Structures are given as structure tokens and as C-alpha cells.
């Protein structure tokens, strides 16, 4: 394709890309390339710096910068004349995003999207930032002025650029391996409790969540607080989790009509969200609310999980069964327009008395709590108080509110919906499979098991050939070699799926994925995992999967999967790398649990020595035992089932040896560290044993 910029009204080469995010920029007058050999060769041939722009389809500020700068013919001219312009979807290439976010961190900025980085033709960064406005404001230089200055520097002060690039390359190398020079240690139960007690000090005791505005759900860190509570950390840890889950569920960050969580709130009290919805957030939150139900059953936990799963089924599930990546914040060019309400809109679709009830329940006012007098729905006056005010039974008020929500949802369905990113990402599907599998067990929902099974079957059939896992599937095509997070997340999801289906094919697939991941990503010298397959050629430095951010590091989910596989197969070899990796990361984990929340979960499971329960007997015979076990909070235990009268699959032959029903009754064999207790046939006794404070705590 020609290197000339597209003429007005035509599309650039991004029109040929399957990524919805890249296609969003197909009509820009910018001469965009996708990341690849053509673009990198052009930069070298023309001796031009690369302008790398990284974002994702549901990113609000990415849309803003696109509208202000990339749609501007004058700005596009500056970009086209001075640079080779490359667009990257961070959901397709998390390795590139991870590396070049480091540039912004080294410059002392916070990072985020859109990410804007300038590289030499040999991919060494020499300047970067996030969002740049069209003219100087917010303490940031205007984008056109920046483009002219950097072009001048490249053409007239090349030595300066080279020096800066060398410094960045050195700094990125240090960032990539940060913490890996620590001496190995041994994590203890006391460490987990200490981590929880330090983390809980950062919880907002009024609104829940960590810190102030903006506020993110952070599900893995709240899950880790529950683990620390389980090991004897004290009631305040559990209470901080419950406060957070309650306030989020009643706030604007939760879609009060359609279910599902937005990405974060811009304020400290969960009121006004950034309205995009990400699959990975909802996957982890379904799991966390299901865990809360195990700790202390509440109608609110059940409602949130039911509505969130229904949202995922309705809006985020492909016809083939797998789950889409994200839903946009904007519709009709406005952020949040689909989700917000005004009093007259309620009155138009509800009878007066019901409209008044809902208006008070959600506090919908003419002033609003969002832009232009609109209101983001949050539960301000609960049903119990509304019932007292009206001297009505609370059940009647709840019925009225439920009917009103149904009518409002149907009215909202007629609005223009936000855009959806229909990429099917292997790793994010793994996270959703994991969340659904636990929720199906806790809430006894076989239909949720079917949702998880459909997604797993799709990914295994279309994206995994036994040696290669693809990261992304779109338009009938599996694309891009999987990264560490894809292998780890999917393996973890499949071990969770086995524990609700007891179909050994998911365990076999998880074991094959783990084996292949170790071959591709494990660095024995550093005792850590690379983010991208070893030897990936287009990376300026090799990066390691260490930190858990909005979604977990693949090293953390892979470690979780390995510990589960050890428990479910009885194969001790699955614990070798988790022991090495957790030992290497212990110092960083204990010092900064907030940055390694999911690794903390995997490490906590490792502490219990591949804890597992094998249920032996016919389905009806083990059902009471299994139900009791599923309803208690025992997060480090993995569950298997040996069906009476059926031969054991080869993967499980050794583990299942000698595990039989007792006196014609279903039996549960509880094991830790590959040593088993006497079989139990009483469901209540099993539940009590599972919920005892773990030994060594």
C-alpha cells in the first residue's frame, strides 16, 4: 500500500485490520501502520522516528485524543511528514504496552492510555507520555508543538536523541527485571496475615475500596484480604471486604439496571464511573462476590452475581460461546450517554407513584450528579427505608422497584448502545471461565457451568492446537501467539472448570498448557517468567511477568494453576516451579502486596501444600458432601471426583488409587501435602474441617 496519507473521505491501511480499536482509526488522515515488519522496515529505510500510539477500543481519552489530533488534517500532516506512525491495540500486544509504559514511568508520570511514545527506527524510545492535548494545557505541551520539537531534535540533534534512547533502554531493562535480584525466601502464613494487615490500613473505611479518587475495584487484593482473614488476621479484614463489595454494588460503578461493573469511578465513593466495562473486571468480581457468599451468604451478593453473569451472557458472549473483550464508555459521541437518566425520562415510562419511588431510591434530580444535569443511578435510599416512609411491607417495595428496573432497562435497550470490542482473548476468557466455575458451584447454577463450558470448548477448539495458543480470535481467524497471561489465565480457568464439571479433558488441557508455558516462558536463571515467548524479536528488552495490575500477571495465574494441578493430579512435580517462583518473589510480595495481589492468592494456596478433596462414590451419594464443601469458604482446596464403578482416567489413576466409598456411602478424602486424613461421610463434619483455621497459621 502507498505510504502517502489517505485523501479525505478514504480510509488508511488500518481498515484492513481485524482489531476494532485499529479500525476506529481507519478514517484518520494519519498514515497509520499496524505494528509489524512493513512499518519497522519503512522507519529504517526512511530514517524516520516512530510515533507509537497505544490504546484500546473502550478507552475514553483515546477517543478524545483521536478526535482532537488524529482527525485533524494539520496535525496529521505533521505526523505523516516527520514520523512513521504506528497504532497498537494494547489488548493484542500487552508485551509492547508493558515495555513502553516503562518510558512514562521513567519520566515520572503515572502511565495509562492513550500511550504516546517516540522511538528510534531500532525501537529504542527517546520520549513519551500519555494523552497530549491539541494545544498547551493541563501542564502538558500541545501535540502539534511537541511533534515539531521532536522532529527538529531528530533532524538536528541526533546525538542527543541517541543518548536519551540509551538511557531509556538501560532504564527499561532495569524496570523489566525489577525485584528479580532479591534473595529467595520462604513465605509463611504469618507473612500472609501481615500483608493483609498492612493492606487493610489503606482501605477507605467510609466508602470501601483502597485510597481515594479515582477508585478501582481491585478484586484480587480484596480476595487476598479474605485469605489473610482466613489465616487469623481478624474480623476487620473481612469487614473491609464486605464494606467495599456493598458500597460498589449500590454505587454508580455498578450498572443498576443491566448488571456488570464499569472499570473504575472518578470519585472516592463509587458514584461516577468511567463507563467502559471490561471482561477481566467482571470475571474477577463474579469470583470475589461468590467467595463473599461462601464467607457469609447475603441476598446482595447473589443479586450482583446473577445480574453480572446475565450481563455477560446478554452483551458479551459470542455466538460460538466465547466472551468479548470490552464494551465502550461512549455512545453517540458522549461518555455515559447510554447509562444516565433525567427525571422526565423516568416519568415518561413509569406510572407517577412508581416514578416517584424510583426517583427517591436512585436520587434522580433535575440538577443531576453527572454532566449536563444527568444522573448516574446509585442506590441512595434503600428499600427498607422507603417501606418505612410509606408504611408498606418491604417485600412490596422491593417488588415495585424490581418492576421499575425492568421497565427502565427495556426503555434503555432502545437507546444507541455503546460500541463493543468483539475480540475473543484467550486469557480473559480464562478469567471469566474461572469466575463462572466458582459461581456455578456456590450458587448451584448449572446454566452458568454451561456458559463456562461453551467458552472453554471454543477456545480449546479454535485457539489451541496442543503446542500453540493464540491470543486473539476474530472474524474466523486465530491471531497472534499467546502471551504468558493467556497460558496462565486459561490454565487457571480450566482447573476451576474441572472442579464443577469433573470432566478430565479440562484438567488434561490445563496440564498441557502449563507444560507448554514453562517451555516458552520460564527463565531458570532468574527463576521467573518472561511475558512474551522467549526470543520474541520485536522487543527492545525482554520483559518479565511480575506485577498484578487491573488484571493478573500470567506468572500469578500460571502459579495458581500449577498448585491446583498438583492437588488435583497428585503430581508433586507441579509444585517445583511455584516453590521456586514464590520463593524468589517473597521479598517483593511481602513488602508490596498491593502490587502482587494475585500472586499472593497463588502463594497462599501453595502454603497449604496442594490441598485437595477427592469425593468418591455415585453422584447421588457424594452430592450432599459436595454441596456442603461448595458452600463454605475453603479457597486453597481443589475438588476432584472419583465416580464409583468407572475406571479412573490415566491422569488421575495414581491419585484415585484406594479412594472408595465407605460402607456404601459417598466419602470425602481430604489431603494436604500429599498426606490424607481418614475419609469423611458426614457433610457437616466435612464443612467444619474445611473451614478450620489452616494448620501452620
Amino acid at each position: 500500500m502507498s505510504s502517502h496519507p489517505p485523501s479525505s473521505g478514504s480510509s488508511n491501511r488500518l481498515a484492513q485490520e481485524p482489531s476494532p480499536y485499529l479500525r476506529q482509526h481507519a478514517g484518520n488522515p494519519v498514515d497509520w501502520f499496524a505494528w509489524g515488519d512493513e512499518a519497522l522496515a519503512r522507519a529504517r529505510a526512511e530514517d524516520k522516528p516512530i510515533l507509537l500510539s497505544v490504546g484500546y477500543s473502550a478507552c475514553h481519552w483515546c477517543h478524545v485524543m483521536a478526535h482532537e489530533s488524529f482527525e485533524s488534517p494539520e496535525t496529521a500532516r505533521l505526523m505523516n511528514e516527520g514520523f512513521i506512525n504506528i497504532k497498537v491495540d494494547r489488548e493484542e500486544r500487552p508485551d509492547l504496552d508493558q515495555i513502553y509504559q516503562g518510558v512514562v514511568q521513567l519520566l515520572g508520570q503515572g502511565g495509562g492510555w492513550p500511550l504516546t511514545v517516540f522511538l528510534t527506527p531500532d525501537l529504542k524510545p527517546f520520549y513519551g507520555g500519555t494523552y497530549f492535548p491539541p494545544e498547551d494545557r493541563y501542564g502538558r505541551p500541545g501535540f502539534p508543538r511537541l511533534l515539531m520539537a521532536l522532529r527538529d531534535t531528530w533532524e538536528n540533534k541526533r546525538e542527543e536523541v541517541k543518548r536519551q534512547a540509551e538511557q531509556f533502554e538501560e532504564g527499561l531493562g532495569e524496570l523489566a527485571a525489577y525485584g528479580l535480584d532479591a534473595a529467595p525466601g520462604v513465605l509463611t502464613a504469618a507473612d500472609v496475615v501481615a500483608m493483609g494487615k498492612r493492606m487493610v490500613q489503606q482501605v477507605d473505611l467510609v466508602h470501601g475500596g483502597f485510597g481515594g479518587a479515582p477508585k478501582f475495584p481491585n478484586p484480587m487484593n480484596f480476595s487476598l484480604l479474605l485469605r489473610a482473614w482466613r489465616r487469623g488476621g481478624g474480623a476487620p479484614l473481612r469487614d473491609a471486604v464486605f464494606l467495599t463489595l456493598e458500597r460498589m454494588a449500590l454505587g454508580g460503578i455498578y450498572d443498576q439496571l443491566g448488571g456488570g461493573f464499569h472499570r473504575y469511578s472518578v470519585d472516592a465513593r463509587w458514584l461516577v464511573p468511567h463507563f467502559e466495562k471490561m471482561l477481566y473486571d467482571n470475571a474477577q468480581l463474579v469470583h470475589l462476590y461468590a467467595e463473599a457468599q461462601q464467607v457469609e451468604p447475603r441476598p446482595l451478593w447473589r443479586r450482583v452475581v446473577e445480574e453480572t453473569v446475565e450481563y455477560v451472557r446478554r452483551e458479551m458472549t459470542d455466538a460460538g460461546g466465547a466472551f468479548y473483550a470490552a464494551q465502550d464508555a461512549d455512545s453517540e459521541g458522549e461518555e455515559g450517554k447510554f447509562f444516565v437518566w433525567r427525571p422526565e425520562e423516568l416519568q415518561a415510562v413509569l406510572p407517577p407513584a412508581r416514578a416517584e419511588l424510583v426517583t427517591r431510591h436512585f436520587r434522580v434530580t433535575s440538577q443531576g450528579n453527572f454532566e449536563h444535569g444527568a444522573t448516574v443511578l446509585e442506590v441512595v435510599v434503600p428499600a427498607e427505608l422507603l417501606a418505612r416512609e410509606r408504611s408498606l411491607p418491604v417485600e412490596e417495595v422491593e417488588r415495585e422497584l424490581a418492576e421499575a428496573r425492568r421497565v427502565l432497562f427495556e426503555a434503555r435497550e432502545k437507546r444507541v448502545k455503546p460500541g463493543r470490542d468483539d475480540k475473543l482473548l484467550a486469557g480473559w476468557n480464562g478469567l471469566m471461565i474461572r469466575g463462572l466455575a466458582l459461581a456455578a458451584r456456590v450458587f448451584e447454577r448449572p446454566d452458568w457451568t454451561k456458559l463456562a463450558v461453551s467458552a472453554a470448548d471454543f477456545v480449546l477448539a479454535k485457539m489451541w492446537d496442543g503446542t500453540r495458543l493464540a491470543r486473539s480470535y476474530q472474524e474466523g481467524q486465530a491471531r497472534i501467539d499467546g502471551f504468558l497471561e493467556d497460558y496462565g489465565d486459561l490454565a487457571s480457568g480450566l482447573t476451576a472448570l474441572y472442579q464443577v464439571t469433573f470432566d478430565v479433558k479440562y484438567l488434561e488441557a490445563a496440564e498441557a498448557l502449563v507444560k507448554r508455558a514453562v517451555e516458552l516462558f520460564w527463565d531458570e536463571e532468574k527463576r521467573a517468567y518472561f511475558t512474551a515467548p522467549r526470543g520474541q524479536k520485536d522487543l527492545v528488552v525482554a520483559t518479565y511477568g511480575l506485577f498484578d495490575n487491573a488484571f493478573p500477571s500470567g506468572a500469578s495465574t500460571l502459579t495458581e494453576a500449577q498448585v491446583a494441578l498438583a492437588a488435583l493430579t497428585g503430581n508433586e512435580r507441579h509444585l517445583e516451579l511455584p516453590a521456586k517462583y514464590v520463593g524468589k518473589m517473597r521479598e517483593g510480595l511481602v513488602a508490596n502486596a498491593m502490587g502482587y495481589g494475585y500472586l499472593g492468592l497463588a502463594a497462599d494456596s501453595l502454603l497449604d501444600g496442594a490441598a485437595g478433596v477427592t469425593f468418591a462414590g455415585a453422584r447421588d451419594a457424594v452430592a450432599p458432601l459436595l454441596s456442603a464443601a461448595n458452600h463454605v469458604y475453603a479457597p486453597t482446596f481443589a475438588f476432584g471426583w472419583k465416580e464409583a464403578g468407572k475406571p479412573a482416567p490415566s491422569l488421575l489413576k495414581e491419585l484415585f488409587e484406594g479412594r472408595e466409598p465407605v460402607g456404601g456411602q459417598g466419602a470425602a478424602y481430604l489431603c494436604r501435602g500429599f498426606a490424607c486424613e481418614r475419609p469423611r461421610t458426614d457433610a457437616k463434619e466435612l464443612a467444619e474441617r474445611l473451614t478450620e483455621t489452616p494448620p501452620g497459621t
Side-chain angles (χ1 to χ4, degrees), residues 483-494:
F483 297 97
L484 176 64
E485 68 178 70
D486 295 300
Y487 285 83
D489 295 359
L490 184 57
S492 174
L494 293 174

Side-chain angles (χ1 to χ4, degrees), residues 6 13 20 32 61 140 174 176 196 214-215 245 287 300 328 484-485 549-550 610 636 659:
R13 55 176 70 73
W32 287 117
W61 283 100
R140 300 166 189 246
E174 290 172 5
K215 191 167 275 182
L245 296 187
H287 197 278
L300 182 60
D328 211 332
L484 176 64
E485 68 178 70
N549 298 305
T636 61
R659 298 187 183 180

Side-chain angles (χ1 to χ4, degrees), residues 47 98 134 145 176 253 257 292 294 380 390 398 406 510 591:
D47 191 34
Q98 181 186 347
R145 187 165 73 83
I253 192 171
L257 298 183
Q294 289 178 317
V380 178
R390 290 158 176 75
E398 285 174 341
R406 184 188 67 78

Side-chain angles (χ1 to χ4, degrees), residues 332-515:
E332 301 182 83
E334 287 183 33
E335 186 182 12
K337 184 174 182 180
F338 178 78
F339 298 100
V340 297
W341 291 85
R342 292 172 176 78
E344 60 271 19
E345 292 173 321
L346 300 181
Q347 292 154 9
V349 294
L350 295 172
R354 194 175 285 162
E356 189 273 331
L357 189 73
V358 168
T359 300
R360 180 146 169 71
H361 181 57
F362 291 130
R363 193 183 285 160
V364 181
T365 66
S366 54
Q367 294 80 32
N369 57 25
F370 187 55
E371 298 164 356
H372 314 303
T375 296
V376 178
L377 300 186
E378 65 164 341
V379 176
V380 178
V381 183
E384 296 78 11
L385 182 53
L386 291 169
R388 282 203 300 275
E389 289 173 352
R390 290 158 176 75
S391 302
L392 292 170
V394 70
E395 296 80 10
E396 184 179 330
V397 171
E398 285 174 341
R399 278 197 302 274
E400 282 289 306
L401 290 172
E403 177 61 17
R405 283 200 303 271
R406 184 188 67 78
V407 171
L408 293 176
F409 173 77
E410 289 180 358
R412 193 180 79 175
E413 283 292 280
K414 295 170 183 166
R415 297 176 178 177
V416 176
K417 287 194 175 184
R420 183 172 59 200
D421 189 320
D422 61 2
K423 284 194 307 297
L424 308 174
L425 297 173
W428 295 8
N429 269 266
L431 293 176
M432 195 71 227
I433 291 164
R434 173 182 178 264
L436 284 169
L438 179 66
R441 287 166 48 195
V442 172
F443 295 101
E444 298 181 335
R445 291 291 297 264
D447 54 326
W448 295 353
T449 303
K450 286 179 184 171
L451 271 182
V453 162
S454 294
D457 289 350
F458 181 94
V459 174
L460 291 175
K462 303 289 190 183
M463 303 174 72
W464 167 242
D465 65 6
T467 57
R468 175 187 181 268
L469 178 66
R471 173 158 180 81
S472 182
Y473 187 93
Q474 225 169 351
E475 298 178 352
Q477 184 186 358
R479 304 171 55 251
I480 306 170
D481 284 350
F483 297 97
L484 176 64
E485 68 178 70
D486 295 300
Y487 285 83
D489 295 359
L490 184 57
S492 174
L494 293 174
T495 61
L497 187 56
Y498 167 76
Q499 296 176 65
V500 67
T501 62
F502 301 112
D503 187 335
V504 74
K505 78 178 181 186
Y506 298 119
L507 215 51
E508 290 166 346
E511 189 166 69
L513 283 160
V514 165
K515 182 173 182 288

